[in-house]
Amino acid sequence: MVESLARRLITFLSQHPGWVVVFTLLLALPALLVHLGWQPLLVDEPIRALVALEMHYSGKFFAPTLQGLPYYNKPPLFNWLLVALFRLTGRQDEWILRLPTIAALLLYTTALWRVLRPQLGSRLAFTVALAFATTGRVLFYDSFLGLIDLWHACLTWLGFMAVWYLGQRKQWVRLFVLTYALTAVGFLLKGLPSVVFQGLALLVYFLDTRQWRRLFGWQHVLGVLVMLLILGSYFFIYSKHNSLEVALATLWSQSSQRTVAAQPLAESVQYVLLFPFDFIKHFLPWSLLVGCLLVPGARRLVMAQPFLRYNALLFLAILPVYWLSPATIPRYLFMLVPLGLTVVIALYAQYQPVGTLPTRWLDGLLLGLLTVSALAPLVTPFVSLTRVVPGVWAWAVAMCAALGAGAYLFWRLADYRLLVLAYYLLILRLAFDIFIFPARMQTSSEVPYRTAAIRVGRETKGRPLVLYPSGWPLDNVEAFYIARERGETLTIAPLPLRPHTLYLADERQLRGMHYRTLDRFRIDDGILFVLVEFQQP
C-alpha cells in the first residue's frame, strides 16, 4: 500500500512540477526550523552575533568592534545583514541570528536546481540540490548555526557556474564583470579566499577550453577594475573609521595561517593523510557515491562531457587548497561539494539502471544504513535524556514508521532512490530535532553559561558595567548575552577604577582588593568570574 501511494504521488508530482517544490518545503521547513533557537550560541556564532550587536548599538557600520575593541578578522557584510534583521524584527535572539543560515541554504539549493537544470535535466538537478542540503555536515550541524559559510559558498559556486555558462555563450564582458562582482561580494563576506577561487575557476575554464589568451584580454582587465572599484570604495570609507593597514594585514593573516607551513609538522602530516577519509565522513551518505568512479570507463565518460569535465577539473583544482591547509573546517568546503556531487550523481544516474557492481554494492550499503537508522527512534523512550520529550512514545513510533516507509520505498522505487534518500534524511533531521535538541539542553555546558550571563545582564541593566582590564578575557558568548540584556556594548575599562561602577573580573585578579561581590558564574575552563563593586575606587 505504501508503494502504491508513493507511485501515485510520484505520478501526480511529475504532472505538476510546481507541487514538487511545495512538497519539499512542507518537509524541509519543519526539519530546519523546529527548535532552531533552542541551543545557546556555539563555535563562531558568538563572534558574528556580538560584532553585529555592537554595530547595532553604535551605528558604526564601518568600524566593527568585539567587546568594544576594533575587530578586523572579517569584513562586515554578514554583520550588516544581521543588523538589518535586528532592526526589522526588534529581536536579537538565537532564532533570528540563525535565520540567515536557513535563507542561505534555501537560496543555495534553489540556485543548484535552476542553474544545473539545463545541463542535467530538472530531476537530476533537483537531486543534486537536495543531496547537498542533506549531507551530514550541512543537515545535522551547520544548518542550525548562524555562520557566514553557506552565504559565501552560494556566491562562490554561482561565480563558478557563471564562468561556464557565459563562457559557452562567448559573452566575455558579462563573464568577467559578473564573476568579479561576485568575487567582491564574497570578499566582503570572508576576505581573500574569494579571490583565490575566482582565479582557479578562470584558469580551469580557459585552459580546458584552450582559450587562455582570454585571460589577457581587455574584458578581463575590466572585470578586475569592477572588483577593485567595489572593494576600493569600501576600503576608502573604512579607512575613515579604522586602520586600513591593520585590516589588510589581518585579512592576509587569516588566510595564510591555515597553510601547512604555519602548522606543526606532525599535525600537518596527519591531516594530509586523513583528509580524504574526513571528507567522506563529513558529507555522508552522499560522499559514498564516489564509488561510481570505480565503474570501468567512468572517468573517461566524465572527461567526454564538457560540463561534467569542468566540474571535475575545478573540484580537483580547488581541493589542494584545503588538503594542504590543516586548519580547514568542513564548512569551508561548501562551495566544493556541489561540484563533486554533480559528477557522481550524474554517473550514478547512468550506471544504476544497468546494475553495475559498484552501484549494486552502493544501493545495498545505503539500504542497510537506512534500515538500521529507521529503528533508532525506538531507543529514545528508554534513554533518560530523551525520555523527557513530551509524548516520547508517540513520537518514537511515528518517526520509526516514517523512516521505515522511507527505507522500504528506497528499496522498491529503484528509479527514484536518490530522491527518496534525500527525503528520508529530512525526516531523520526532524527526528533529530525532536529527540536530540532536548537532550542537548540537559548536557550542554553552554546552557548554564547563557543562563548566568542573562541573569547578570538583567540585574545590572541601567547601571554602569565594564570589564576589568586584566586577567582572563570574558568569552564572547557571555559578553553577547550580557550586552543584549543590558541593551549596550560591554567594554573593557582602563585603570584607574571608576567610582559607582560595576565590574566583571576573573576572581583571581582581585586578590587583596576590597570589593563587594554581587554575583558569580563560571565560564570555559572553569574560570570563575565575579560581578563586583569596589569599595575604594
Side-chain angles (χ1 to χ4, degrees), residues 66-67 69 467-479 490 492 504-506 508-509 521-525 527-529:
L66 187 66
Q67 296 192 36
L69 300 175
L467 293 169
Y468 192 74
S470 62
W472 195 270
L474 183 64
D475 290 336
N476 291 315
V477 63
E478 286 91 357
L490 183 63
I492 300 172
L504 279 174
D506 177 352
R508 296 171 300 180
Q509 300 299 311
F521 58 95
R522 292 194 179 275
I523 64 172
D524 282 344
D525 299 322
I527 304 299
L528 181 64
F529 259 70

Side-chain angles (χ1 to χ4, degrees), residues 1 12 97 109 143 231 289 291 299 312 374 387 397 440 474 477 524:
M1 180 170 177
F12 174 80
L97 288 163
T109 51
S143 61
L231 296 182
L289 294 179
R299 280 159 284 187
R387 196 183 301 152
V397 171
R440 285 187 174 181
L474 183 64
V477 63
D524 282 344

Side-chain angles (χ1 to χ4, degrees), residues 292-314:
C292 293
L293 291 171
L294 299 176
V295 177
R299 280 159 284 187
R300 187 166 57 252
L301 179 63
V302 170
M303 298 306 287
Q305 301 182 51
F307 183 70
L308 294 185
R309 184 172 70 242
Y310 173 70
N311 279 265
L313 292 176
L314 188 53

Side-chain angles (χ1 to χ4, degrees), residues 15 51 113 124 127 182 262 289 292 295 327 366 436 441 469 487:
Q15 295 171 351
V51 171
W113 176 33
L124 211 56
T127 303
L182 288 172
L289 294 179
C292 293
V295 177
L366 288 172
I436 302 303
M441 295 299 290

Side-chain angles (χ1 to χ4, degrees), residues 207-440:
L207 291 178
D208 178 51
T209 58
R210 300 180 182 180
Q211 301 179 82
W212 57 269
R213 290 183 178 83
R214 294 284 178 189
L215 295 170
F216 303 97
W218 66 267
Q219 299 95 334
H220 193 175
V221 175
L222 178 62
V224 173
L225 290 176
V226 168
M227 180 184 70
L228 293 178
L229 178 63
I230 296 172
L231 296 182
S233 300
Y234 161 73
F235 280 118
F236 175 77
I237 300 172
Y238 181 91
S239 66
K240 304 296 183 182
H241 302 272
N242 231 325
S243 170
L244 182 58
E245 182 180 354
V246 174
L248 293 175
T250 304
L251 290 174
W252 173 259
S253 174
Q254 286 287 296
S255 300
S256 61
Q257 69 183 4
R258 303 185 186 280
T259 62
V260 168
Q263 305 296 325
L265 179 60
E267 292 181 14
S268 297
V269 172
Q270 181 182 16
Y271 173 84
V272 169
L273 292 176
L274 294 178
F275 177 83
F277 306 101
D278 286 337
F279 187 100
I280 292 173
K281 176 187 71 176
H282 286 299
F283 298 103
L284 287 170
W286 299 97
S287 53
L288 295 175
L289 294 179
V290 72
C292 293
L293 291 171
L294 299 176
V295 177
R299 280 159 284 187
R300 187 166 57 252
L301 179 63
V302 170
M303 298 306 287
Q305 301 182 51
F307 183 70
L308 294 185
R309 184 172 70 242
Y310 173 70
N311 279 265
L313 292 176
L314 188 53
F315 180 94
L316 293 174
I318 295 174
L319 191 64
V321 174
Y322 293 110
W323 200 333
L324 301 177
S325 302
T328 290
I329 300 172
R331 62 177 178 266
Y332 297 167
L333 304 169
F334 286 167
M335 82 291 296
L336 187 63
V337 173
L339 299 175
L341 289 176
T342 298
V343 173
V344 297
I345 287 176
L347 288 176
Y348 178 90
Q350 180 150 343
Y351 290 131
Q352 189 268 345
V354 298
T356 61
L357 183 60
T359 56
R360 291 204 307 271
W361 276 97
L362 180 60
D363 286 346
L365 176 59
L366 288 172
L367 180 59
L369 292 174
L370 267 58
T371 303
V372 171
S373 59
L375 299 174
L378 293 180
V379 178
T380 55
F382 302 99
V383 179
S384 58
L385 291 176
T386 52
R387 196 183 301 152
V388 300
V389 174
V392 63
W393 269 108
W395 279 117
V397 171
M399 289 294 102
C400 184
L403 292 171
Y408 174 77
L409 293 175
F410 180 87
W411 172 47
R412 296 295 297 172
L413 302 178
D415 293 342
Y416 297 91
R417 274 186 179 149
L418 295 188
L419 283 174
V420 171
L421 174 61
Y423 291 126
Y424 179 96
L425 291 167
L426 288 174
I427 298 171
L428 191 63
R429 165 61 192 271
L430 186 59
F432 179 94
D433 297 339
I434 293 169
F435 299 117
I436 302 303
F437 277 129
R440 285 187 174 181

Side-chain angles (χ1 to χ4, degrees), residues 8-59:
R8 290 180 184 178
L9 178 61
I10 290 170
T11 301
F12 174 80
L13 293 176
S14 63
Q15 295 171 351
H16 304 83
W19 284 102
V20 176
V21 178
V22 174
F23 175 77
T24 304
L25 288 176
L26 287 174
L27 191 56
L29 288 179
L32 295 172
L33 295 176
V34 169
H35 298 162
L36 180 66
W38 274 34
Q39 290 190 122
L41 299 180
L42 302 169
V43 293
D44 286 345
E45 282 188 299
I47 299 176
R48 310 290 161 245
L50 187 55
V51 171
L53 188 67
E54 295 183 11
M55 189 180 289
H56 171 56
Y57 291 148
S58 69

